[in-house]
């Protein structure tokens, strides 16, 4: 027969810690604590399978459940020596939800269940405290009526206030037993008036009502939203824990409290917690009374007059410290504990891994490894790579209130606040003043013309564009917070307004953006600044020892390259040369090159670009000091580079010495309908080989000069973008080799490889032939995603979010690689490439190279490196180590 109910208590349990899928986190940990002999009030857990059954069968229960719940109650009755519903010696229980993933405060809890007009007298006699019994009863009616009967909480709060007013008192505790007795009667009358039925007196009816309410709370709007935000599947369901009540409010020798085994904000090894004498758990969190510190040390440090638990109940304190240490060793992690002391006896109500800041997480992991509780591998697995972002960028103070006005895509992490500006010129003007104001550049979308504005802005907000749009890619490269594709915002550039949900913001109004969540917030919000600790370096060092893949950076400026090295990049995996022309004087030369209508014109522009390129490359080689540097030939999506507006056209016309009107016509001729699928990538070098030749010359000459200067030989990797076959690759490679031969003929010695991006489906499919002449592959999963799914990178935001929200795609495929589709193309590319050239060097340089889930996929495919924007390098290093550990463990598992 299916087992729907598992019991625990008295040093034994039918469940275990590793059964959290079935028992939920709380149930599994209660079972585990019982198993290791800790004092846990006895109880039973109704499994999450019942929740699944409940929703699959019109909110009904499996037939055998009734008998199993009864048996569970008998188990508790036997251990406690009390009986459920007994007038003399009543058993009271708590009913709590508990799902696989922690969902704090999202679902419901009921305490003191089993109280009625008769059992309240039994409780009074047993506790020798009538006031306590009636206070428990009125709390129970209040909680049950709210959670199970759906009555508003305030109905009862109002009645409680009226009772206090009648007595002329302020505190709940000032009501005496008479008052509470009357209040119970008033509460019951209210329930009957509101629901048409009397408050249920039969304990079993109460219990089933509570069980149903907990299962139903899995689908309450709070829980649904929390699951959506935390990617918790609905199918997991919740378990229900029914447990004997213990009372922290049975007088001065009773207490209740919460504690962390280490400080959750710093990770310091010190018991950190608070308690209240003569109180129930909810009083500690409700903030009505001020809880006292648990340890003397904390009491003294906090200058608190009220005694600590250590002073007030020294025996209990010693036992609690021993339990806390034991639990931490048992679970190998910092614990978050809830306990109650009932008349001098300690009871553990909950133990779970404690939530903590990233800084604390690093300290705890490194310390636990030093204490021999964890291996280094286990310590490395403990840190969520994405959480490292907290250390690298300023972020919104977790305690601050957020007034969210819109949500876009979390395009580049970190938070920033500043005055709204609608143009790059306005951004520069605001920032250049003596006061150096902080600005948020707000645009429909950005283009290379905005680079100077992006550079000075504290953050970037766009209303169009996806995770690989210009704004997103450039902001990530700069390490600047960016929210892209916030479609609910309406920008009126001319009027200088930003409108959302009927509210209008003007230039100069302050907003805050959170590039880690995609939120746009009203006004300034409190921030916390980044901080890299010694623990960070220790743990990252362990990660690097464990990793198989290397982590390189996507970087093209000296600042990016330096940041990349500081963050531990092992070279540059992608230098997007088109990004090196964003400075105003250079972009004119690039435009000149693009708009030239003959080779002579182009060569003239190229001659202007060559020295810039050469000195930039030389600088990159110098900073990278012998580490590999992959330089990609130009890949300028034309719409990002063509001049917009008369002023820009006039500038280029002047530089070229041609008529502005003629140039305008040429720009119009070059206009494309689908620029991301247009005249970009190697197509440029195929039409105009002199462009590739200039770039090859600049790269090789820079390598020679840097090698001479530093004495460290430079090995460069020249990369061809957007090829579809061996033929187009070879065409470009021949031009590059010819330049090298020419320089070698002049006595230079060069070490270089020519490889290619694999970023179009056809290239992935023909990887076998391409590997006959390409010396490395770098998977460009931005374009591969765009072309495999037929989704424009720049236009994805408005519809892609619907796919994700409706569960049609598990995640934004531009953020986390679509394993089944794009991933299969990468796998084909790997397999066919390596079939031709077993040692073919393989990397990834799409934005997925910085995404932990995608990095895990790269490890499974056996890539040699991932490359990502500099600020993601630490995340990628940690994710690469974790992927190596998990992949190795998987390979050891016996095949099915
Ligand atoms: C890619 O397509 O994945 C890539 C890295 O190139 P870009 O983003 O510059 O098109
Ligand atoms: Mg690309």
């Amino acid at each position: 027969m299916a087992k729907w109910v598992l019991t625990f208590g008295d040093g034994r349990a039918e469940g275990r810690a590793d059964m959290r899928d079935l028992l939920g986190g709380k149930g599994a940990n209660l079972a585990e604590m019982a198993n290791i002999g800790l004092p846990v009030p006895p109880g039973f857990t109704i499994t999450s399978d019942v929740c699944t059954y409940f929703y699959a069968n019109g909110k009904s229960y499996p037939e055998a459940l009734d008998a199993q719940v009864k048996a569970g109650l008998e188990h508790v009755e036997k251990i406690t020596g009390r009986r459920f519903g007994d007038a003399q010696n009543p058993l009271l229980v708590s009913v709590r939800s508990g799902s696989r993933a922690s969902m704090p405060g999202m679902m419901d809890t009921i305490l003191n269940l089993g109280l009625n007009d008769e059992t309240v007298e039994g409780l009074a006699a047993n506790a020798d405290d009538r006031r306590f019994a009636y206070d428990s009863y009125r709390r129970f009616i209040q909680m049950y009526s709210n959670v199970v009967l759906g009555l508003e909480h305030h109905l009862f709060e109002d009645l409680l206030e009226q009772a206090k007013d009648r007595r002329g008192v302020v505190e709940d505790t000032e009501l005496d037993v008479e008052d509470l007795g009357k209040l119970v009667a008033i509460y019951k009358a209210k329930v009957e008036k509101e629901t048409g039925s009397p408050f249920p007196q039969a304990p079993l009816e109460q219990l089933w009502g509570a069980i149903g309410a907990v299962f139903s709370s899995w689908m309450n709007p709070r829980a649904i939203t929390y699951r959506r935000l935390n990617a918790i599947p609905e199918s997991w369901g919740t378990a229900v824990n029914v447990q004997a009540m213990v009372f922290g409010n049975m007088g001065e020798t009773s207490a209740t409290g919460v504690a962390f085994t280490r400080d959750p904000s710093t990770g310091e090894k010190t018991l950190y917690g608070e308690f209240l004498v003569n109180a129930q758990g909810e009083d500690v969190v409700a903030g009505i009374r001020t809880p006292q510190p648990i340890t003397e040390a904390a009491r003294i440090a906090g200058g608190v007059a009220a005694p600590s638990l250590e002073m007030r109940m020294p025996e209990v304190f010693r036992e609690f410290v021993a339990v806390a240490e034991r639990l931490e060793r048992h679970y190998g992690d910092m614990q978050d504990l809830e306990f109650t002391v009932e008349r001098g006896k300690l009871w553990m109500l909950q133990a779970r891994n404690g939530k903590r800041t990233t800084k604390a997480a690093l300290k705890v992991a490194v310390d636990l490894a030093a204490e021999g509780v964890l291996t280094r591998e286990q310590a490395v697995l403990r840190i969520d790579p994405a959480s490292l972002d907290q250390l690298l960028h300023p972020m919104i103070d977790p305690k601050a209130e957020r007034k969210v006005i819109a949500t876009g895509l979390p395009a580049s992490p970190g938070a920033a606040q500043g005055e709204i500006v609608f143009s790059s010129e306005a951004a520069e003007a605001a920032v250049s003043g003596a006061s150096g104001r902080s600005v948020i550049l707000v645009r429909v979308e950005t283009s290379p013309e905005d680079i100077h504005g992006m550079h000075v802005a504290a953050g970037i907000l766009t209303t169009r564009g996806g995770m690989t749009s210009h704004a997103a890619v450039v902001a990530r490269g700069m390490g600047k917070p960016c929210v892209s594709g916030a479609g609910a915002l309406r920008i009126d550039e001319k009027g200088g307004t930003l409108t959302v949900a009927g509210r209008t913001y003007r230039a100069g109004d302050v907003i805050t953006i959170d590039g880690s969540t995609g939120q746009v917030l009203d006004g300034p919000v409190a921030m916390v600044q980044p901080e890299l600790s010694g623990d960070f370096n220790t743990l990252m060092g362990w990660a690097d020892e464990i990793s198989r893949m290397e982590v390189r950076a996507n970087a093209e400026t000296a600042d990016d390259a330096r940041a990349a090295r500081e963050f531990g990049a092992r070279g540059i995996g992608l230098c997007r040369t088109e990004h090196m022309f964003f400075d105003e004087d250079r972009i004119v030369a690039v435009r000149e090159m693009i708009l030239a209508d003959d080779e002579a014109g182009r060569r003239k522009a190229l001659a202007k670009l060559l020295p810039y390129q050469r000195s930039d490359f030389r600088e990159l080689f110098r900073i990278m000091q012998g580490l590999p540097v992959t330089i990609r030939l130009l890949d300028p999506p034309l719409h990002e580079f063509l001049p917009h507006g008369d002023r820009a056209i006039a500038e280029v016309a002047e530089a070229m010495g041609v008529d502005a009107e003629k140039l305008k016509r040429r720009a119009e001729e070059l206009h494309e309908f689908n620029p991301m699928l247009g005249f970009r990538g190697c197509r440029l070098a195929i039409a105009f080989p002199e462009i590739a030749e200039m770039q090859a010359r600049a790269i090789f000459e820079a390598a020679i000069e840097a090698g001479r200067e530093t004495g460290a030989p430079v090995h460069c990797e020249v990369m061809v973008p957007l090829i579809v076959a061996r033929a187009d690759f070879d065409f470009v490679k021949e031009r590059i080799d010819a330049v090298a031969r020419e320089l070698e003929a002049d006595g230079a010695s060069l070490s270089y490889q020519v490889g290619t991006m694999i970023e179009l489906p056809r290239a992935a499919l023909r990887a076998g032939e391409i590997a006959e002449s390409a010396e490395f592959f770098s998977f460009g999963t931005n374009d591969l995603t765009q072309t495999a799914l037929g989704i424009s990178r720049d236009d994805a935001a408005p519809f892609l979010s619907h796919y994700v929200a409706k569960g049609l795609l598990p995640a934004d495929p531009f953020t986390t690689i679509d394993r089944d589709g794009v991933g299969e193309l990468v796998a084909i590319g790997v397999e066919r490439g390596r079939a031709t050239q077993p040692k073919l060097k393989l990397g990834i340089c799409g934005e997925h190279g910085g995404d932990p889930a995608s990095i895990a996929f790269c490890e499974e495919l056996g890539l040699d490196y991932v490359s990502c924007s500099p600020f993601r390098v630490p995340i990628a290093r940690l994710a690469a180590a974790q992927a190596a550990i998990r992949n190795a463990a998987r390979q050891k598992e016996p095949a099915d």
Side-chain angles (χ1 to χ4, degrees), residues 138-146 153 156-157 187:
R138 73 100 192 151
R139 286 178 193 241
F140 168 58
I141 297 174
Q142 195 164 338
M143 239 181 203
Y144 190 92
S145 302
N146 176 239
H153 198 65
F156 298 94
E157 284 298 324
Y187 275 10

Side-chain angles (χ1 to χ4, degrees), residues 632 635 680 722 757 759 780 782-783 793:
R632 183 176 75 183
D635 178 11
R680 51 178 292 225
L722 225 69
M757 301 277 294
E759 53 185 338
N782 299 337
D783 277 311
R793 290 163 65 165

Side-chain angles (χ1 to χ4, degrees), residues 8 110 182 216 231 265 290 300 350 365 381 405 614 639 727 740 744 802 830 891 894:
F8 56 85
I110 298 163
K182 278 190 212 140
S216 299
S265 56
T290 307
I300 296 164
Q350 173 147 306
L381 286 173
I405 54 172
R614 193 172 42 219
H639 66 310
E744 281 167 341
H802 291 286
V830 168
Q891 280 167 3

Side-chain angles (χ1 to χ4, degrees), residues 368-685:
L368 286 173
E371 290 163 29
V373 178
L374 298 181
T375 63
R376 287 182 175 187
E377 290 200 347
Q378 286 169 328
V380 161
L381 286 173
R382 276 294 158 75
I383 309 296
D384 171 11
S387 74
L388 294 180
D389 253 349
Q390 272 188 29
L391 303 175
L392 308 175
H393 304 276
M395 59 166 212
I396 292 177
D397 186 337
K399 295 193 275 298
E401 193 198 339
R402 290 172 176 243
K403 275 192 237 143
V404 180
I405 54 172
T407 303
L409 296 169
S412 179
Q417 52 194 254
E419 296 172 25
I420 295 173
V421 288
F422 292 104
S423 72
S424 292
E425 289 67 36
E428 280 193 311
V431 173
S432 66
S435 54
R437 283 137 62 197
S438 172
V439 298
I440 304 289
L441 178 61
V442 181
R443 310 276 298 152
V444 173
E445 57 191 346
T446 61
S447 75
E449 282 164 63
D450 291 311
I451 295 298
H452 58 116
M454 295 174 81
H455 190 72
V456 296
I460 294 123
L461 168 62
T462 69
T463 58
R464 278 237 303 261
M467 292 295 283
T468 58
S469 61
H470 178 269
V473 171
V474 174
R476 273 198 294 275
M478 291 177 172
K480 264 189 202 210
C482 172
V483 172
S484 67
L489 302 176
R490 291 280 160 266
I491 294 179
D492 174 359
E493 260 176 58
K494 281 212 182 75
T497 59
L498 171 73
T499 311
V500 58
R503 171 144 191 212
T504 300
Y505 293 80
R506 295 181 190 288
D509 289 347
V510 174
I511 55 167
T512 300
I513 60 167
D514 184 346
S516 306
T517 62
Q519 288 176 340
V520 183
L521 307 146
D522 179 62
V525 185
M527 304 274 234
V528 285
Q529 291 308 311
E531 198 181 335
L532 287 185
S533 63
D535 298 312
F536 170 83
N537 289 326
T538 306
L539 193 105
M540 293 309 281
W542 295 346
D544 290 344
E545 278 165 25
I546 293 165
S547 304
R548 187 192 57 78
M549 290 190 294
E550 293 216 313
V551 177
R552 298 192 190 179
N554 294 353
E556 41 272 335
T557 67
D559 284 349
D560 289 350
R562 272 189 221 103
R565 287 228 55 189
E566 259 164 48
F567 288 135
R570 304 292 305 157
I572 290 179
L574 172 63
C575 166
R576 288 177 164 106
T577 50
E578 62 281 3
H579 285 195
M580 302 172 98
F581 299 121
F582 287 151
D583 277 359
E584 239 162 300
D585 44 348
R586 300 183 181 194
I587 201 160
V588 174
V590 176
R591 288 179 170 153
E592 217 180 306
M593 175 192 79
I594 291 173
L595 292 165
D597 50 12
D598 60 12
E599 188 177 327
R602 247 181 328 272
R603 284 196 183 276
K604 200 169 130 222
L606 287 169
K608 290 186 197 166
L609 291 172
L610 177 82
Y612 290 133
Q613 290 256 278
R614 193 172 42 219
S615 71
D616 286 354
F617 294 146
R618 194 176 56 214
E619 184 70 3
L620 290 184
F621 291 140
R622 221 189 274 139
I623 294 167
M624 284 295 150
Q625 291 179 339
L627 292 173
V629 177
T630 310
I631 295 173
R632 183 176 75 183
L633 300 186
L634 267 182
D635 178 11
L638 277 190
H639 66 310
E640 288 186 12
F641 283 85
L642 284 176
H644 303 287
D646 292 341
R647 207 187 90 194
I649 292 196
E651 244 171 30
V652 185
E654 196 191 320
M656 292 171 78
V658 298
D659 174 55
E661 273 311 304
K662 182 174 160 228
L663 199 71
K664 202 167 168 182
R665 274 199 303 282
R666 173 81 179 133
E668 276 158 15
E669 270 165 38
L670 288 174
H671 169 80
E672 293 176 325
F673 289 105
N674 286 314
M676 286 310 255
L677 300 177
F679 199 176
R680 51 178 292 225
C682 69
R683 296 159 199 175
L684 218 64

